[in-house]
Amino acid sequence: MNAPARPALHRNFHRLAWFALIMTASTILFGAFVRLSDAGLSCPDWPTCYGRVTWPQTQMEAARHVASEIRPLESHKAWREQVHRFLAGLLGVEVLTLALLAARRRRRGVLQVLAAAVLVALAIPLYMRGEHVASSALAIAGEAILLLAALRWSNIDLSRAAVLTLAVVIFQALLGMWTVTWLLKPIVVMGHLLGAMLMFGLLVWSAWKATHLPITLAEAPRLRWWLRAGLLLLVLQIALGGWVSANYAALACGGGSAALDNFPRCVSQWWPQQNYVEGFTLWRGIGVDYEGGVLDGASRIAIQMAHRMTAVVVALYLLALSARMFRLPGMRGWSSALVVLVLLQVTLGILNVKLALPLAVAVMHNGGAVALLFVLVSLLARLRAPE
């Protein structure tokens, strides 16, 4: 049987994909830093910050813009939010470049990608002028062009993955805007995290496929099923972690003590009162300021307990997957990395409670999720059966 043809890629595509991958991981971690330091609403307008491309340095500068009526300036936080936006904008340019390179041999491929980008670019000033309906229509039209292209194109040249990644970037920009304008609405904050992880996963896949370093194993088909199940469990746990953070439920069981009352118990009980209906109500309308959270103790405890119980399932599954890989030739390195990351992630989660959510530990906990996602998607991208 003939080996499948390698994708006809631009000679620098793999380098740009790896660079975009690193930028995405950096942006995710910086976004976690922004969210966990309560700086997500420090620039009440979007995409400017009190009407500035950068951010104001004094209260007087901020007072000249109508956004100051929404929220007073906190200059020590505003720079964090705006720098995060700069990083996201730079990442968007990188992903656009990848999409153009991947689509260059498709019929009208470059034209379609550019048309989508122009429509989205035109939507931004319309939004800033308050023309939200027209702005949304242009953004939706740009997304539709990219999604239709992805449906029509194959992935032999990674064009489908590239335009899907660009579509995710655009939707991420919308979620970033709604995060501010809808006052940290939990479903939007969680969606923003999941969108970032999806974009990271797509770039991991594209980078490895473009680099073309397959791992050939006779057991590859069965192992890929194990990896897919592990990836689904990991995504579920990431979503729950995002829901914990968005609802300020990280310390719902208590914290800041080495006692067993906050972990493994919760508020000194093994099974405290929990309200899963309220805790997992996804939509609560618009206009509520969710900074600091709006749920009662039983609802936040339900979210925290769900995250803990799912963590046990995910950790046990990934450790079993690691044990399975350890017995396969050439997979001991990946197996060991998976064990280390799982144990580190569990430890960081416990330390978040015991140390009352220190910023550095909480950001590293997000980084652990990124690293686990990298391992699972990398293996899915590289594994294949012998010819």
Side-chain angles (χ1 to χ4, degrees), residues 21-57:
L21 170 62
I22 294 170
M23 275 296 300
T24 303
S26 302
T27 304
I28 290 173
L29 293 181
F30 196 85
F33 166 68
V34 171
R35 183 178 72 256
L36 293 165
S37 61
D38 294 324
L41 293 181
S42 55
C43 292
D45 50 328
W46 185 93
T48 56
C49 186
Y50 293 92
R52 292 173 173 265
V53 174
T54 55
W55 55 88
Q57 303 296 322

Short mmCIF file of all heavy atoms in Angstrom, two decimals, residues 21-57:
data_model
loop_
_atom_site.label_atom_id
_atom_site.label_comp_id
_atom_site.label_asym_id
_atom_site.label_seq_id
_atom_site.Cartn_x
_atom_site.Cartn_y
_atom_site.Cartn_z
N LEU A 21 0.99 28.32 18.49
CA LEU A 21 0.69 27.43 19.60
C LEU A 21 1.26 27.98 20.92
O LEU A 21 0.57 28.02 21.95
CB LEU A 21 1.25 26.05 19.30
CG LEU A 21 1.26 24.99 20.40
CD1 LEU A 21 -0.16 24.68 20.82
CD2 LEU A 21 1.96 23.73 19.91
N ILE A 22 2.50 28.40 20.88
CA ILE A 22 3.14 28.97 22.08
C ILE A 22 2.43 30.26 22.50
O ILE A 22 2.19 30.50 23.70
CB ILE A 22 4.63 29.23 21.81
CG1 ILE A 22 5.37 27.90 21.59
CG2 ILE A 22 5.27 30.00 22.97
CD1 ILE A 22 6.78 28.05 21.09
N MET A 23 2.07 31.09 21.51
CA MET A 23 1.36 32.33 21.82
C MET A 23 -0.01 32.05 22.44
O MET A 23 -0.45 32.75 23.36
CB MET A 23 1.19 33.16 20.55
CG MET A 23 2.38 34.05 20.22
SD MET A 23 2.65 35.34 21.49
CE MET A 23 1.09 36.20 21.42
N THR A 24 -0.68 31.01 21.96
CA THR A 24 -1.99 30.67 22.50
C THR A 24 -1.87 30.23 23.96
O THR A 24 -2.65 30.67 24.81
CB THR A 24 -2.64 29.54 21.68
OG1 THR A 24 -2.74 29.94 20.31
CG2 THR A 24 -4.03 29.22 22.19
N ALA A 25 -0.90 29.37 24.25
CA ALA A 25 -0.69 28.94 25.63
C ALA A 25 -0.38 30.14 26.53
O ALA A 25 -0.90 30.25 27.65
CB ALA A 25 0.43 27.92 25.70
N SER A 26 0.46 31.06 26.04
CA SER A 26 0.81 32.25 26.82
C SER A 26 -0.40 33.13 27.07
O SER A 26 -0.60 33.65 28.18
CB SER A 26 1.90 33.05 26.09
OG SER A 26 3.05 32.26 25.85
N THR A 27 -1.24 33.27 26.05
CA THR A 27 -2.45 34.10 26.18
C THR A 27 -3.44 33.48 27.15
O THR A 27 -4.09 34.18 27.93
CB THR A 27 -3.10 34.30 24.79
OG1 THR A 27 -2.15 34.85 23.89
CG2 THR A 27 -4.28 35.25 24.88
N ILE A 28 -3.56 32.15 27.12
CA ILE A 28 -4.45 31.47 28.07
C ILE A 28 -3.98 31.71 29.50
O ILE A 28 -4.79 32.02 30.39
CB ILE A 28 -4.49 29.95 27.76
CG1 ILE A 28 -5.24 29.70 26.45
CG2 ILE A 28 -5.18 29.20 28.91
CD1 ILE A 28 -5.18 28.25 25.99
N LEU A 29 -2.69 31.58 29.74
CA LEU A 29 -2.17 31.76 31.09
C LEU A 29 -2.30 33.21 31.54
O LEU A 29 -2.63 33.49 32.70
CB LEU A 29 -0.71 31.31 31.15
CG LEU A 29 -0.46 29.82 30.97
CD1 LEU A 29 1.02 29.49 31.08
CD2 LEU A 29 -1.24 29.02 32.01
N PHE A 30 -2.04 34.14 30.61
CA PHE A 30 -2.20 35.55 30.99
C PHE A 30 -3.67 35.87 31.23
O PHE A 30 -4.01 36.65 32.13
CB PHE A 30 -1.63 36.47 29.92
CG PHE A 30 -1.40 37.88 30.40
CD1 PHE A 30 -0.23 38.21 31.06
CD2 PHE A 30 -2.36 38.86 30.23
CE1 PHE A 30 -0.02 39.50 31.54
CE2 PHE A 30 -2.16 40.15 30.68
CZ PHE A 30 -0.99 40.48 31.34
N GLY A 31 -4.56 35.25 30.44
CA GLY A 31 -5.99 35.44 30.67
C GLY A 31 -6.41 34.91 32.03
O GLY A 31 -7.26 35.51 32.70
N ALA A 32 -5.83 33.78 32.44
CA ALA A 32 -6.11 33.25 33.78
C ALA A 32 -5.63 34.23 34.85
O ALA A 32 -6.32 34.45 35.86
CB ALA A 32 -5.43 31.89 33.96
N PHE A 33 -4.46 34.82 34.63
CA PHE A 33 -3.93 35.82 35.56
C PHE A 33 -4.88 37.01 35.66
O PHE A 33 -5.17 37.50 36.76
CB PHE A 33 -2.55 36.26 35.08
CG PHE A 33 -2.03 37.50 35.73
CD1 PHE A 33 -1.68 37.52 37.06
CD2 PHE A 33 -1.89 38.68 34.99
CE1 PHE A 33 -1.20 38.68 37.66
CE2 PHE A 33 -1.41 39.83 35.58
CZ PHE A 33 -1.06 39.84 36.91
N VAL A 34 -5.40 37.46 34.53
CA VAL A 34 -6.34 38.59 34.52
C VAL A 34 -7.61 38.23 35.29
O VAL A 34 -8.08 38.98 36.15
CB VAL A 34 -6.68 38.99 33.07
CG1 VAL A 34 -7.81 40.02 33.05
CG2 VAL A 34 -5.46 39.56 32.37
N ARG A 35 -8.17 37.06 34.98
CA ARG A 35 -9.43 36.66 35.60
C ARG A 35 -9.27 36.44 37.10
O ARG A 35 -10.09 36.90 37.90
CB ARG A 35 -9.93 35.37 34.93
CG ARG A 35 -11.28 34.88 35.44
CD ARG A 35 -11.74 33.64 34.70
NE ARG A 35 -10.97 32.45 35.04
CZ ARG A 35 -10.05 31.90 34.27
NH1 ARG A 35 -9.75 32.44 33.10
NH2 ARG A 35 -9.40 30.81 34.64
N LEU A 36 -8.20 35.76 37.48
CA LEU A 36 -8.02 35.41 38.89
C LEU A 36 -7.58 36.58 39.76
O LEU A 36 -7.69 36.53 40.98
CB LEU A 36 -7.00 34.26 39.00
CG LEU A 36 -7.48 32.93 38.41
CD1 LEU A 36 -6.32 31.98 38.21
CD2 LEU A 36 -8.54 32.29 39.31
N SER A 37 -7.07 37.63 39.11
CA SER A 37 -6.73 38.85 39.86
C SER A 37 -7.85 39.87 39.82
O SER A 37 -7.65 41.05 40.16
CB SER A 37 -5.43 39.46 39.31
OG SER A 37 -5.58 39.83 37.95
N ASP A 38 -9.05 39.43 39.40
CA ASP A 38 -10.26 40.26 39.37
C ASP A 38 -10.06 41.52 38.52
O ASP A 38 -10.54 42.60 38.87
CB ASP A 38 -10.67 40.66 40.79
CG ASP A 38 -11.10 39.46 41.61
OD1 ASP A 38 -11.71 38.54 41.04
OD2 ASP A 38 -10.83 39.44 42.83
N ALA A 39 -9.38 41.35 37.38
CA ALA A 39 -9.15 42.49 36.48
C ALA A 39 -9.98 42.40 35.21
O ALA A 39 -9.79 43.21 34.30
CB ALA A 39 -7.66 42.57 36.11
N GLY A 40 -10.92 41.45 35.15
CA GLY A 40 -11.68 41.25 33.93
C GLY A 40 -12.58 42.40 33.54
O GLY A 40 -12.91 42.57 32.36
N LEU A 41 -13.00 43.22 34.51
CA LEU A 41 -13.85 44.38 34.20
C LEU A 41 -13.11 45.70 34.39
O LEU A 41 -13.73 46.75 34.48
CB LEU A 41 -15.10 44.37 35.11
CG LEU A 41 -16.09 43.22 34.89
CD1 LEU A 41 -17.27 43.37 35.84
CD2 LEU A 41 -16.58 43.20 33.45
N SER A 42 -11.79 45.65 34.42
CA SER A 42 -11.01 46.86 34.70
C SER A 42 -11.02 47.84 33.53
O SER A 42 -10.68 49.01 33.70
CB SER A 42 -9.57 46.50 35.06
OG SER A 42 -8.99 45.71 34.06
N CYS A 43 -11.40 47.38 32.34
CA CYS A 43 -11.64 48.26 31.19
C CYS A 43 -13.10 48.07 30.80
O CYS A 43 -13.44 47.09 30.12
CB CYS A 43 -10.73 47.91 30.01
SG CYS A 43 -8.99 48.28 30.30
N PRO A 44 -14.00 48.96 31.21
CA PRO A 44 -15.44 48.74 31.01
C PRO A 44 -15.88 48.79 29.55
O PRO A 44 -16.96 48.30 29.22
CB PRO A 44 -16.09 49.88 31.80
CG PRO A 44 -15.01 50.42 32.69
CD PRO A 44 -13.73 50.19 31.96
N ASP A 45 -15.09 49.42 28.68
CA ASP A 45 -15.44 49.49 27.26
C ASP A 45 -14.58 48.48 26.50
O ASP A 45 -13.63 47.91 27.03
CB ASP A 45 -15.24 50.90 26.71
CG ASP A 45 -13.87 51.48 27.07
OD1 ASP A 45 -13.34 51.15 28.14
OD2 ASP A 45 -13.32 52.26 26.27
N TRP A 46 -14.96 48.27 25.23
CA TRP A 46 -14.24 47.29 24.39
C TRP A 46 -14.28 47.79 22.95
O TRP A 46 -15.33 48.28 22.50
CB TRP A 46 -14.91 45.92 24.48
CG TRP A 46 -14.19 44.83 23.75
CD1 TRP A 46 -13.26 43.99 24.25
CD2 TRP A 46 -14.32 44.48 22.37
NE1 TRP A 46 -12.80 43.12 23.28
CE2 TRP A 46 -13.44 43.41 22.11
CE3 TRP A 46 -15.10 44.97 21.30
CZ2 TRP A 46 -13.32 42.82 20.84
CZ3 TRP A 46 -14.97 44.40 20.05
CH2 TRP A 46 -14.10 43.33 19.83
N PRO A 47 -13.19 47.69 22.18
CA PRO A 47 -11.89 47.10 22.52
C PRO A 47 -10.92 48.10 23.15
O PRO A 47 -9.80 47.73 23.48
CB PRO A 47 -11.37 46.65 21.16
CG PRO A 47 -11.92 47.65 20.20
CD PRO A 47 -13.28 48.02 20.74
N THR A 48 -11.35 49.36 23.31
CA THR A 48 -10.49 50.34 23.96
C THR A 48 -10.61 50.23 25.47
O THR A 48 -11.44 49.46 25.99
CB THR A 48 -10.88 51.76 23.51
OG1 THR A 48 -12.27 51.97 23.80
CG2 THR A 48 -10.63 51.96 22.03
N CYS A 49 -9.81 50.99 26.17
CA CYS A 49 -9.85 51.03 27.64
C CYS A 49 -10.05 52.48 28.05
O CYS A 49 -9.13 53.29 27.94
CB CYS A 49 -8.57 50.45 28.22
SG CYS A 49 -8.57 50.29 30.02
N TYR A 50 -11.27 52.82 28.45
CA TYR A 50 -11.65 54.21 28.71
C TYR A 50 -11.36 55.07 27.48
O TYR A 50 -10.88 56.21 27.59
CB TYR A 50 -10.92 54.75 29.94
CG TYR A 50 -11.35 54.09 31.23
CD1 TYR A 50 -10.66 52.99 31.72
CD2 TYR A 50 -12.46 54.55 31.95
CE1 TYR A 50 -11.05 52.36 32.89
CE2 TYR A 50 -12.85 53.92 33.13
CZ TYR A 50 -12.14 52.83 33.59
OH TYR A 50 -12.53 52.20 34.75
N GLY A 51 -11.65 54.51 26.32
CA GLY A 51 -11.49 55.24 25.07
C GLY A 51 -10.08 55.29 24.54
O GLY A 51 -9.83 55.88 23.49
N ARG A 52 -9.13 54.63 25.20
CA ARG A 52 -7.73 54.67 24.78
C ARG A 52 -7.30 53.33 24.20
O ARG A 52 -7.79 52.27 24.61
CB ARG A 52 -6.83 55.02 25.98
CG ARG A 52 -7.01 56.43 26.48
CD ARG A 52 -6.24 56.68 27.75
NE ARG A 52 -6.30 58.09 28.11
CZ ARG A 52 -5.37 58.98 27.79
NH1 ARG A 52 -4.28 58.60 27.13
NH2 ARG A 52 -5.50 60.24 28.13
N VAL A 53 -6.35 53.40 23.29
CA VAL A 53 -5.80 52.17 22.72
C VAL A 53 -5.03 51.42 23.79
O VAL A 53 -5.09 50.18 23.87
CB VAL A 53 -4.90 52.48 21.51
CG1 VAL A 53 -4.22 51.21 21.01
CG2 VAL A 53 -5.71 53.13 20.39
N THR A 54 -4.32 52.15 24.65
CA THR A 54 -3.59 51.51 25.76
C THR A 54 -4.51 51.54 26.99
O THR A 54 -5.49 50.83 27.03
CB THR A 54 -2.26 52.22 26.02
OG1 THR A 54 -2.51 53.63 26.25
CG2 THR A 54 -1.33 52.07 24.83
N TRP A 55 -4.18 52.36 27.99
CA TRP A 55 -5.02 52.50 29.18
C TRP A 55 -4.64 53.80 29.86
O TRP A 55 -3.50 54.27 29.77
CB TRP A 55 -4.83 51.32 30.14
CG TRP A 55 -3.41 51.09 30.56
CD1 TRP A 55 -2.75 51.65 31.61
CD2 TRP A 55 -2.46 50.25 29.89
NE1 TRP A 55 -1.45 51.21 31.66
CE2 TRP A 55 -1.25 50.35 30.60
CE3 TRP A 55 -2.51 49.43 28.75
CZ2 TRP A 55 -0.10 49.67 30.22
CZ3 TRP A 55 -1.38 48.75 28.38
CH2 TRP A 55 -0.19 48.86 29.10
N PRO A 56 -5.58 54.44 30.54
CA PRO A 56 -5.28 55.71 31.21
C PRO A 56 -4.39 55.49 32.43
O PRO A 56 -4.42 54.43 33.05
CB PRO A 56 -6.66 56.24 31.61
CG PRO A 56 -7.52 55.03 31.68
CD PRO A 56 -7.00 54.07 30.65
N GLN A 57 -3.62 56.50 32.74
CA GLN A 57 -2.72 56.42 33.88
C GLN A 57 -3.28 57.09 35.12
O GLN A 57 -2.88 56.77 36.25
CB GLN A 57 -1.37 57.08 33.52
CG GLN A 57 -0.70 56.48 32.30
CD GLN A 57 -0.30 55.03 32.51
OE1 GLN A 57 0.14 54.66 33.60
NE2 GLN A 57 -0.45 54.21 31.48
#
